[in-house]
Amino acid sequence: MQVAKGLVVDRHRRKAIEQAYLDAIASHPAVIVPSPEERLLALEALVLIDSALNKLKPRVRETFILSQFEGQAYSEIALKLGVSVASIKKYMFDAMEACLDVLESDGKLR
């Protein structure tokens, strides 16, 4: 039962990531819309990154999301989380390292 539940959650998460990606590329002119093969590779990479981020400590994950997806400066994030900018830099290093590790281990960055 646990395995089935995990598979359903994984499928739902992948579908949500796929829809967000498709929504993002739909807003771009056709000149820069990726081919179906490029879309599949990008989606696979996004799923891997999502998996890596979900294994991080909550503050590290939140720092990465605030920086990379919401465009907040390190100083803003530090203030919001009540930590130093040096901590934010370390969190970002840890998050980026996790993303690179998962992409390299899967062969996406060779």
Side-chain angles (χ1 to χ4, degrees):
M1 192 66 163
Q2 271 309 97
V3 171
K5 181 180 176 183
L7 290 173
V8 169
V9 168
D10 286 348
R11 181 178 167 88
H12 176 70
R13 180 179 220 88
R14 183 178 174 90
K15 286 290 183 188
I17 292 169
E18 182 176 4
Q19 188 58 52
Y21 175 71
L22 292 174
D23 291 346
I25 63 170
S27 67
H28 289 77
V31 176
I32 59 171
V33 173
S35 70
E37 294 83 11
E38 291 170 323
R39 280 188 273 188
L40 181 60
L41 290 172
L43 180 59
E44 288 175 2
L46 288 171
V47 169
L48 288 171
I49 289 170
D50 178 64
S51 174
L53 292 176
N54 282 321
K55 293 175 185 171
L56 297 174
K57 294 178 182 175
R59 278 199 173 175
V60 176
R61 181 176 48 251
E62 185 174 4
T63 296
F64 182 85
I65 290 169
L66 291 172
S67 173
Q68 299 301 301
F69 298 114
E70 296 186 19
Q72 292 187 14
Y74 287 4
S75 58
E76 293 174 292
I77 300 168
L79 187 61
K80 182 174 186 168
L81 298 182
V83 297
S84 68
V85 172
S87 292
I88 296 302
K89 288 178 181 180
K90 173 150 181 13
Y91 296 162
M92 281 301 294
F93 178 83
D94 292 347
M96 293 290 207
E97 187 175 48
C99 291
L100 285 173
D101 285 349
V102 73
L103 291 173
E104 286 175 345
S105 69
D106 195 61
K108 300 287 184 223
L109 290 179
R110 287 186 201 163

PDB file of all heavy atoms in Angstrom, residues 3-19 47:
ATOM      1  N   VAL A   3       3.922   1.565  -1.171  1.00  0.00           N
ATOM      2  CA  VAL A   3       4.563   1.698  -2.476  1.00  0.00           C
ATOM      3  C   VAL A   3       3.592   2.329  -3.470  1.00  0.00           C
ATOM      4  O   VAL A   3       3.944   3.243  -4.212  1.00  0.00           O
ATOM      5  CB  VAL A   3       5.072   0.332  -2.988  1.00  0.00           C
ATOM      6  CG1 VAL A   3       5.546   0.420  -4.423  1.00  0.00           C
ATOM      7  CG2 VAL A   3       6.174  -0.198  -2.089  1.00  0.00           C
ATOM      8  N   ALA A   4       2.357   1.852  -3.464  1.00  0.00           N
ATOM      9  CA  ALA A   4       1.347   2.400  -4.365  1.00  0.00           C
ATOM     10  C   ALA A   4       1.101   3.876  -4.078  1.00  0.00           C
ATOM     11  O   ALA A   4       1.002   4.694  -4.999  1.00  0.00           O
ATOM     12  CB  ALA A   4       0.045   1.623  -4.239  1.00  0.00           C
ATOM     13  N   LYS A   5       1.035   4.223  -2.817  1.00  0.00           N
ATOM     14  CA  LYS A   5       0.831   5.623  -2.437  1.00  0.00           C
ATOM     15  C   LYS A   5       2.008   6.472  -2.919  1.00  0.00           C
ATOM     16  O   LYS A   5       1.809   7.557  -3.467  1.00  0.00           O
ATOM     17  CB  LYS A   5       0.685   5.739  -0.920  1.00  0.00           C
ATOM     18  CG  LYS A   5       0.435   7.150  -0.448  1.00  0.00           C
ATOM     19  CD  LYS A   5       0.295   7.212   1.059  1.00  0.00           C
ATOM     20  CE  LYS A   5       0.143   8.638   1.529  1.00  0.00           C
ATOM     21  NZ  LYS A   5       0.074   8.749   2.972  1.00  0.00           N
ATOM     22  N   GLY A   6       3.214   5.974  -2.744  1.00  0.00           N
ATOM     23  CA  GLY A   6       4.405   6.691  -3.199  1.00  0.00           C
ATOM     24  C   GLY A   6       4.407   6.892  -4.705  1.00  0.00           C
ATOM     25  O   GLY A   6       4.769   7.958  -5.200  1.00  0.00           O
ATOM     26  N   LEU A   7       3.984   5.878  -5.449  1.00  0.00           N
ATOM     27  CA  LEU A   7       3.928   5.989  -6.910  1.00  0.00           C
ATOM     28  C   LEU A   7       2.890   7.023  -7.354  1.00  0.00           C
ATOM     29  O   LEU A   7       3.123   7.786  -8.292  1.00  0.00           O
ATOM     30  CB  LEU A   7       3.610   4.624  -7.529  1.00  0.00           C
ATOM     31  CG  LEU A   7       4.720   3.578  -7.427  1.00  0.00           C
ATOM     32  CD1 LEU A   7       4.227   2.222  -7.917  1.00  0.00           C
ATOM     33  CD2 LEU A   7       5.945   4.013  -8.209  1.00  0.00           C
ATOM     34  N   VAL A   8       1.768   7.058  -6.670  1.00  0.00           N
ATOM     35  CA  VAL A   8       0.733   8.050  -6.992  1.00  0.00           C
ATOM     36  C   VAL A   8       1.250   9.462  -6.710  1.00  0.00           C
ATOM     37  O   VAL A   8       1.069  10.376  -7.516  1.00  0.00           O
ATOM     38  CB  VAL A   8      -0.571   7.764  -6.203  1.00  0.00           C
ATOM     39  CG1 VAL A   8      -1.544   8.919  -6.314  1.00  0.00           C
ATOM     40  CG2 VAL A   8      -1.210   6.482  -6.702  1.00  0.00           C
ATOM     41  N   VAL A   9       1.909   9.639  -5.585  1.00  0.00           N
ATOM     42  CA  VAL A   9       2.465  10.951  -5.238  1.00  0.00           C
ATOM     43  C   VAL A   9       3.517  11.364  -6.264  1.00  0.00           C
ATOM     44  O   VAL A   9       3.522  12.512  -6.733  1.00  0.00           O
ATOM     45  CB  VAL A   9       3.051  10.938  -3.807  1.00  0.00           C
ATOM     46  CG1 VAL A   9       3.873  12.180  -3.532  1.00  0.00           C
ATOM     47  CG2 VAL A   9       1.934  10.800  -2.783  1.00  0.00           C
ATOM     48  N   ASP A  10       4.398  10.439  -6.644  1.00  0.00           N
ATOM     49  CA  ASP A  10       5.432  10.739  -7.641  1.00  0.00           C
ATOM     50  C   ASP A  10       4.814  11.123  -8.983  1.00  0.00           C
ATOM     51  O   ASP A  10       5.259  12.066  -9.632  1.00  0.00           O
ATOM     52  CB  ASP A  10       6.365   9.541  -7.843  1.00  0.00           C
ATOM     53  CG  ASP A  10       7.327   9.337  -6.696  1.00  0.00           C
ATOM     54  OD1 ASP A  10       7.449  10.230  -5.838  1.00  0.00           O
ATOM     55  OD2 ASP A  10       7.950   8.258  -6.648  1.00  0.00           O
ATOM     56  N   ARG A  11       3.791  10.406  -9.383  1.00  0.00           N
ATOM     57  CA  ARG A  11       3.126  10.702 -10.666  1.00  0.00           C
ATOM     58  C   ARG A  11       2.470  12.082 -10.627  1.00  0.00           C
ATOM     59  O   ARG A  11       2.595  12.858 -11.576  1.00  0.00           O
ATOM     60  CB  ARG A  11       2.095   9.632 -10.994  1.00  0.00           C
ATOM     61  CG  ARG A  11       1.388   9.876 -12.310  1.00  0.00           C
ATOM     62  CD  ARG A  11       0.402   8.747 -12.613  1.00  0.00           C
ATOM     63  NE  ARG A  11      -0.477   9.089 -13.685  1.00  0.00           N
ATOM     64  CZ  ARG A  11      -0.218   8.875 -14.958  1.00  0.00           C
ATOM     65  NH1 ARG A  11       0.914   8.322 -15.307  1.00  0.00           N
ATOM     66  NH2 ARG A  11      -1.094   9.213 -15.875  1.00  0.00           N
ATOM     67  N   HIS A  12       1.811  12.386  -9.527  1.00  0.00           N
ATOM     68  CA  HIS A  12       1.161  13.692  -9.386  1.00  0.00           C
ATOM     69  C   HIS A  12       2.204  14.814  -9.411  1.00  0.00           C
ATOM     70  O   HIS A  12       2.011  15.830 -10.070  1.00  0.00           O
ATOM     71  CB  HIS A  12       0.345  13.743  -8.094  1.00  0.00           C
ATOM     72  CG  HIS A  12      -0.279  15.069  -7.832  1.00  0.00           C
ATOM     73  ND1 HIS A  12      -1.318  15.547  -8.586  1.00  0.00           N
ATOM     74  CD2 HIS A  12       0.011  16.035  -6.933  1.00  0.00           C
ATOM     75  CE1 HIS A  12      -1.652  16.756  -8.156  1.00  0.00           C
ATOM     76  NE2 HIS A  12      -0.851  17.071  -7.155  1.00  0.00           N
ATOM     77  N   ARG A  13       3.293  14.608  -8.707  1.00  0.00           N
ATOM     78  CA  ARG A  13       4.368  15.609  -8.653  1.00  0.00           C
ATOM     79  C   ARG A  13       4.958  15.829 -10.044  1.00  0.00           C
ATOM     80  O   ARG A  13       5.177  16.954 -10.465  1.00  0.00           O
ATOM     81  CB  ARG A  13       5.441  15.134  -7.683  1.00  0.00           C
ATOM     82  CG  ARG A  13       6.594  16.066  -7.547  1.00  0.00           C
ATOM     83  CD  ARG A  13       7.592  15.507  -6.526  1.00  0.00           C
ATOM     84  NE  ARG A  13       8.084  16.577  -5.749  1.00  0.00           N
ATOM     85  CZ  ARG A  13       7.550  17.065  -4.647  1.00  0.00           C
ATOM     86  NH1 ARG A  13       6.483  16.518  -4.147  1.00  0.00           N
ATOM     87  NH2 ARG A  13       8.065  18.082  -4.032  1.00  0.00           N
ATOM     88  N   ARG A  14       5.197  14.751 -10.778  1.00  0.00           N
ATOM     89  CA  ARG A  14       5.747  14.860 -12.137  1.00  0.00           C
ATOM     90  C   ARG A  14       4.775  15.604 -13.048  1.00  0.00           C
ATOM     91  O   ARG A  14       5.185  16.448 -13.838  1.00  0.00           O
ATOM     92  CB  ARG A  14       6.079  13.490 -12.695  1.00  0.00           C
ATOM     93  CG  ARG A  14       6.718  13.573 -14.079  1.00  0.00           C
ATOM     94  CD  ARG A  14       7.081  12.181 -14.606  1.00  0.00           C
ATOM     95  NE  ARG A  14       7.553  12.257 -15.956  1.00  0.00           N
ATOM     96  CZ  ARG A  14       8.814  12.425 -16.306  1.00  0.00           C
ATOM     97  NH1 ARG A  14       9.753  12.520 -15.389  1.00  0.00           N
ATOM     98  NH2 ARG A  14       9.163  12.483 -17.574  1.00  0.00           N
ATOM     99  N   LYS A  15       3.494  15.309 -12.940  1.00  0.00           N
ATOM    100  CA  LYS A  15       2.489  15.992 -13.763  1.00  0.00           C
ATOM    101  C   LYS A  15       2.448  17.480 -13.441  1.00  0.00           C
ATOM    102  O   LYS A  15       2.312  18.314 -14.337  1.00  0.00           O
ATOM    103  CB  LYS A  15       1.103  15.365 -13.571  1.00  0.00           C
ATOM    104  CG  LYS A  15       0.943  14.027 -14.235  1.00  0.00           C
ATOM    105  CD  LYS A  15       0.930  14.196 -15.731  1.00  0.00           C
ATOM    106  CE  LYS A  15       0.705  12.877 -16.422  1.00  0.00           C
ATOM    107  NZ  LYS A  15       0.868  12.960 -17.856  1.00  0.00           N
ATOM    108  N   ALA A  16       2.565  17.835 -12.175  1.00  0.00           N
ATOM    109  CA  ALA A  16       2.557  19.246 -11.782  1.00  0.00           C
ATOM    110  C   ALA A  16       3.778  19.966 -12.336  1.00  0.00           C
ATOM    111  O   ALA A  16       3.681  21.097 -12.834  1.00  0.00           O
ATOM    112  CB  ALA A  16       2.500  19.383 -10.263  1.00  0.00           C
ATOM    113  N   ILE A  17       4.939  19.326 -12.277  1.00  0.00           N
ATOM    114  CA  ILE A  17       6.167  19.907 -12.814  1.00  0.00           C
ATOM    115  C   ILE A  17       6.032  20.064 -14.329  1.00  0.00           C
ATOM    116  O   ILE A  17       6.379  21.110 -14.894  1.00  0.00           O
ATOM    117  CB  ILE A  17       7.389  19.047 -12.462  1.00  0.00           C
ATOM    118  CG1 ILE A  17       7.649  19.095 -10.957  1.00  0.00           C
ATOM    119  CG2 ILE A  17       8.625  19.487 -13.249  1.00  0.00           C
ATOM    120  CD1 ILE A  17       8.659  18.072 -10.485  1.00  0.00           C
ATOM    121  N   GLU A  18       5.511  19.032 -14.984  1.00  0.00           N
ATOM    122  CA  GLU A  18       5.343  19.080 -16.434  1.00  0.00           C
ATOM    123  C   GLU A  18       4.404  20.221 -16.836  1.00  0.00           C
ATOM    124  O   GLU A  18       4.691  20.967 -17.767  1.00  0.00           O
ATOM    125  CB  GLU A  18       4.800  17.748 -16.941  1.00  0.00           C
ATOM    126  CG  GLU A  18       4.647  17.687 -18.438  1.00  0.00           C
ATOM    127  CD  GLU A  18       4.205  16.320 -18.930  1.00  0.00           C
ATOM    128  OE1 GLU A  18       3.945  15.426 -18.112  1.00  0.00           O
ATOM    129  OE2 GLU A  18       4.127  16.163 -20.158  1.00  0.00           O
ATOM    130  N   GLN A  19       3.304  20.380 -16.121  1.00  0.00           N
ATOM    131  CA  GLN A  19       2.355  21.442 -16.457  1.00  0.00           C
ATOM    132  C   GLN A  19       2.970  22.822 -16.243  1.00  0.00           C
ATOM    133  O   GLN A  19       2.784  23.718 -17.064  1.00  0.00           O
ATOM    134  CB  GLN A  19       1.065  21.302 -15.640  1.00  0.00           C
ATOM    135  CG  GLN A  19      -0.021  22.253 -16.095  1.00  0.00           C
ATOM    136  CD  GLN A  19      -0.382  22.061 -17.566  1.00  0.00           C
ATOM    137  OE1 GLN A  19      -0.670  20.959 -18.007  1.00  0.00           O
ATOM    138  NE2 GLN A  19      -0.346  23.143 -18.336  1.00  0.00           N
ATOM    139  N   VAL A  47      12.514  17.210 -12.991  1.00  0.00           N
ATOM    140  CA  VAL A  47      12.064  16.185 -12.038  1.00  0.00           C
ATOM    141  C   VAL A  47      13.223  15.765 -11.132  1.00  0.00           C
ATOM    142  O   VAL A  47      13.052  15.615  -9.918  1.00  0.00           O
ATOM    143  CB  VAL A  47      11.437  14.976 -12.772  1.00  0.00           C
ATOM    144  CG1 VAL A  47      11.215  13.809 -11.828  1.00  0.00           C
ATOM    145  CG2 VAL A  47      10.127  15.388 -13.430  1.00  0.00           C
TER     146      VAL A  47
END
